[in-house]
Amino acid sequence: MKQYPTAHINAEPGDFAPTVLMPGDPLRSKFIAENYLTDPKLVNNVRGVQGYTGTYQGKRVSVMASGMGMPSIGIYSHELFSVFGVENIIRVGSAGALSTDIHVRDIVIGMGASTDSGFAANFNLPGTFAPICSYSLLEKCVACAKDVQATYHVGNLLSSDIFYRDDETANARWSKMGIMAVEMESAALYMNAARLRKNALCICTVSDHIVTGEEISAEERQTSFGEMIQLALETAIRV
């Protein structure tokens, strides 16, 4: 029997919409709710991880923070999927570019999520699992990106457990395998979605370039993130 609330989400059945946007930062969750949703209602605030449900263009949509890293998004996505009836999670965040074909302010959409994490060991598989997004969400997102004429790239991300990497050669080795950009959450999200037969997608704005050193200011970052949030919301209402 499902138990409400869970250890990390103090909510009731029906509090969350079928589609949830997940930024890492709780304050960004609050920002999205207050600036993009109509009549947002706070439905979770355990540990300051704020979750809201409102409407966007007449359709119910939720937004809740995931925290940083795969262990954190692994907890929240699992509980949303398995306990609260959520069907689709769209991660919205930032990424550091590795490809010279990608620039800051561009949007990267994770068709796949390679990883240096041991998260897949939890599933006790007799081989290597390839975390991929849900094609239905990807197809809708790309169509939306074309409609709004966003500068976007679709491909493989690296979900890393490590932010301050000691091995300075690692990024070049990932880059030669076609990795577009590095972030820290999508592989765990994709694996949970696969295990629980749900849908997931990661959309990130490139906030800095790991190879060239290019980066954008905090003010520019907020403006660039606005395009990504709009893209995620437009995708959400097409689900």
Side-chain angles (χ1 to χ4, degrees):
M1 182 176 178
K2 296 177 180 179
Q3 297 294 316
Y4 304 92
T6 65
H8 308 94
I9 302 175
N10 185 14
E12 297 293 330
D15 280 351
F16 288 96
T19 301
V20 178
L21 271 60
M22 292 202 86
D25 186 351
L27 293 179
R28 185 159 292 139
S29 176
K30 183 174 187 287
F31 176 85
I32 294 170
E34 292 180 347
N35 290 274
Y36 291 89
L37 300 185
T38 301
D39 298 325
K41 176 186 175 184
L42 182 68
V43 295
N44 182 67
N45 198 24
V46 177
R47 298 173 181 246
V49 176
Q50 298 174 4
Y52 298 84
T53 297
T55 61
Y56 179 76
Q57 295 190 14
K59 184 166 183 175
R60 288 183 80 230
V61 177
S62 295
V63 53
M64 192 177 88
S66 69
M68 287 191 292
M70 282 176 271
S72 187
I73 200 171
I75 290 170
Y76 292 114
S77 63
H78 190 281
E79 292 184 6
L80 289 172
F81 281 145
S82 65
V83 179
F84 292 97
V86 171
E87 294 295 325
N88 315 290
I89 294 179
I90 302 174
R91 163 165 152 67
V92 287
S94 59
L98 287 179
S99 169
T100 53
D101 295 328
I102 296 173
H103 305 282
V104 296
R105 304 180 191 84
D106 288 1
I107 291 172
V108 289
I109 305 169
M111 181 167 59
S114 297
T115 186
D116 55 20
S117 169
F119 194 90
N122 171 57
F123 303 104
N124 196 30
L125 299 167
T128 301
F129 181 77
I132 59 172
C133 73
S134 300
Y135 179 75
S136 60
L137 288 180
L138 176 63
E139 182 181 36
K140 291 176 177 64
C141 183
V142 169
C144 291
K146 290 178 179 177
D147 287 346
V148 300
Q149 298 183 323
T151 302
Y152 70 95
H153 309 265
V154 179
N156 207 350
L157 300 173
L158 170 64
S159 288
S160 180
D161 275 340
I162 303 165
F163 189 85
Y164 297 108
R165 186 175 294 280
D166 192 59
D167 181 356
E168 296 180 356
T169 68
N171 285 328
R173 282 178 278 154
W174 285 110
S175 180
K176 76 179 182 181
M177 295 301 293
I179 296 295
M180 299 187 300
V182 184
E183 49 83 60
M184 302 187 75
E185 287 83 23
S186 60
L189 173 62
Y190 288 2
M191 283 188 254
N192 276 353
R195 176 66 180 87
L196 297 168
R197 301 297 189 270
K198 303 287 186 171
N199 301 301
L201 181 66
C202 177
I203 307 171
C204 288
T205 296
V206 174
S207 58
D208 60 284
H209 204 297
I210 294 171
V211 177
T212 67
E214 185 184 11
E215 59 183 5
I216 56 178
S217 68
E219 183 179 349
E220 289 176 308
R221 185 174 299 199
Q222 190 63 59
T223 302
S224 297
F225 282 1
E227 184 178 39
M228 169 190 62
I229 293 164
Q230 196 82 45
L231 177 58
L233 286 167
E234 292 293 328
T235 302
I237 64 173
R238 296 190 186 193
V239 174

